[in-house]
Amino acid sequence: MGSFKAICSVSLLQLFIVFCLVFQCFATRRHTDPRTTLVVDASNAIGRPIPETLFGIFFEEINHAGAGGLWAELVSNRGFEAGGPNTPSNIDPWTIIGNESSIIVETDRTSCFDRNKVALRLEVLCDSEGDNICPAEGVGVYNPGFWGMNIEQGKKYKVIFYVRSTESLNLTVSLIGQSSVGNLASSTITGNAADFSNWTKKETLLVAKATDHNSRLQFTTTTKGVIWLDQVSAMPLDTYKGHGFRTELFEMLSDLKPKFIRFPGGCFVEGEWLRNAFRWKATVGPWEERPGHFGDVWMYWTDDGLGYFEFLQLAEDLGALPIWVFNNGVSHNDEVDTSVVLPLVQEALDGIEFARGDPTSKWGSLRAAMGHPEPFDLRYVAVGNEDCGKPKYQGNYLKFYHAIRSAYPDIQIISNCDGSSRPLDHPADMYDYHVYTNANDMFSRANAFDRTSRNGPKAFVSEYAVTGKDAGTGSLLAALAEAGFLIGLEKNSDVIEMVSYAPLFVNANDRRWNPDAIVFNSFQAYGTPSYWVQLFFSESSGATLLNTSLQSNSSNSVIASAITFQSSVDKKNYIRIKVVNFGTSAVNLKISLEGLEPDSLQLSGSTRTVLTSGNVMDENSFSQPRKVAPIQSRLQNVGKDLNVTIPPRSFTSFDLLKESSNLRMNGSNSSCTRSSI
C-alpha cells in the first residue's frame, strides 16, 4: 500500500507538472500569437457619412518648401533684395566671375521697380582688346540656384531679366554644368548703347543639350563698360499647366487627393517680428514688382514668387479648397493692440475680395489682371496661427470675426483656441488643434476626441506629426503611430472636420524641421513612411464610416476602422478595412462582416496593402526611396469571414470589392474615390 501510494503520489505530481507546462505553453503561445476579432457592420442602413473635407494638406514655407522646391523658379535672390535695402549689400548666392582687375560688382538703388529698388551693378574693367584683355570665357556673375539647378537635356528654360548699360552691350546668358559637362545652353544679347540706356526687359529661351543636376545660370561679357542687372528669372517650361509648380512634386500632392490646402503657414504667417510676417498684398501682381521678404522664423529669404495668388491657383489645380491663414496682428515677439488692429482687419477683407470678388471690384480686378477673372473658391479662413495664448489674440480675433461674418457670412472662420476638452468662450466655426509628440503618445491619442462634446464648433487638426528620436528623419515607427491617431480621428469625424500633416516638404539641403512628408533636392523626391500613411486615407473624405467592434485578448496595440467608398478609377464599390498593429507580435485577426446581402462580395478583385519593414526605425532615402512603402497583393476567395495575419509593427488595408455597382453613400450624394497604393 505504501509503495502504491508513493507511485500514485509521483504520478499525480508528474501529471500536475505536465498540466503546468501545457498551460504555460498555451499562455506563451497566446502572448506571442494573440487572436483578435473585428466585427464590421457593413449593412447599407448603418453607417455615418464622413465629412467631404476630412483629409487634406498643409503647406508652409519652411525647409525651402516653396522657394527652391514646389515653386520651380531656379534663381535664388532674383531681385538682389536678400541683402537688405541698404547698399552696397551682400548678393549671396550670386558669385563673381573674374577678379578685381577685370570687374567690380556691387549693389545700388537704381532699379526701375519702386518696391524693390536694389539692382546689381557690374563695372567691367577689361575689354576684348587693349592693355587689359578679358579672359576668353568673359567676366560677370553666376547664380547656382538652390543648391544647384537641375538642367535636363532637351528641356526648355525661359530666362527673363532686366538690363541697362552705359556702352554697347554684348552679354552672354548661359546654363553651365559642372566642369565635366560645361556649357549646356547659351544665348548672346547684343545692342548699341542707345538700346540699353534705360532699363530694358529681355527674354531668351535656352534649350539644354545635356543634363546636369548641379548647374548654374551665368551672365558674362568681354566688353568694357557698366552693366546693371535686375529681376533675373529662369523657369523650366514644363511646370504643371504652366503655372510654375514643379511637376513631380505637384503630382505627389495630387496623389494624396487632398480635399483642402491650408497655406502659407504656420509660423511663416506670424514671423518672429511683425515686420517679417507674410503680407499678402506684397506677394501679388507682376513677379518683378514683388519686394520679397525675409522669413525670420525659418531664417531664409523668399522672393515671394509663390504668393497669395499662386497658393489659390495651387488649390484650384489640386481640386482642393483653399484655407487662407492670415496674420491677426500677432507675431512671436510683438503684437498690435486691439484698439488699432482695424487696418489689418481691412487687409484681410481685401484679401478675401482678391480671391472672391467680382473682376470689376478693386482687388478682384487685380486677380483678373493676373489671368484669373473667375473667383477662387475661398470658403475658409484661419485667424492667425497658434496665437491663442497671446494677450491680444482674443480681442483681435473678435474684430476679425465680426467684420468677416458681416461682409462674408458664408465663410467659415477658424479660431486658434483648442475646444476639444472644454467649450470655446468665443464664436467660431472651427477650432485649430496641433499635436507634435512621441510615438507612444501619438498612438494613444487615437481616443483623444472620444469624450469631446458633440455640440459646438468642430476641430481642424491642421498640424500633427511624431517628432523627436522616435521620428528620425521619417521612420516607420512615426508613421504607424500617426496611422493609429488618424484611425481615431476618422472614427471621431462627427466632431472633426479637417486633418492635415505637417510639415509637408523639406529640401534635403535645408532641414529646418524633422520629419517631413516629402523629401526632395534639385532633381529627386521621395515620400517618407508618413507620406505613404496619408495615402491609406485618401479615400476616406466623403466616404461612409461603418460601425466596428474590436475584441482582443492582447494589449491595446491594435486599432481598426472600416469605410465604404466608390473608386474613381474603376467606378466600383469597396469596403476598406484599415488595421494598425503597433505591437511587436503578429496578430491573428478574424474579420467578420455582418449585415451584407448574400453574395454581395466578389470572390476576386479584392486586395491587401501592407506598410511595414524589417526595422521599426527604417526610413526612405534617395538611394532607397521605397524601402518603406505599401505593398499590395490580391486576396482570393473573399467571404463574410476572413482569417488574416497582421504583421507586427504594420499598417494593413483590406479593400473588399462588392458585387453591386450602386452602393449608396449614406448622407452624401457625391462619390468617393480610390487609388491603388
Side-chain angles (χ1 to χ4, degrees), residues 321-401:
L321 292 170
I323 301 178
W324 178 34
V325 186
F326 55 74
N327 188 285
N328 65 97
V330 177
S331 78
H332 288 180
N333 291 295
D334 58 346
E335 301 178 62
V336 173
D337 191 83
T338 302
S339 64
V340 292
V341 80
L342 287 182
L344 284 173
V345 173
Q346 187 59 51
E347 186 173 294
L349 293 172
D350 292 344
I352 297 172
E353 181 179 282
F354 176 89
R356 295 182 27 155
D358 186 274
T360 62
S361 65
K362 177 180 178 180
W363 294 104
S365 64
L366 176 57
R367 181 198 68 239
M370 294 181 70
H372 202 286
E374 302 83 8
F376 288 107
D377 191 11
L378 180 64
R379 307 182 196 176
Y380 304 89
V381 296
V383 184
N385 172 75
E386 296 180 350
D387 294 328
C388 184
K390 305 290 178 62
K392 307 298 182 185
Y393 178 71
Q394 290 213 27
N396 290 4
Y397 171 87
L398 289 172
K399 294 286 187 181
F400 284 93
Y401 178 88

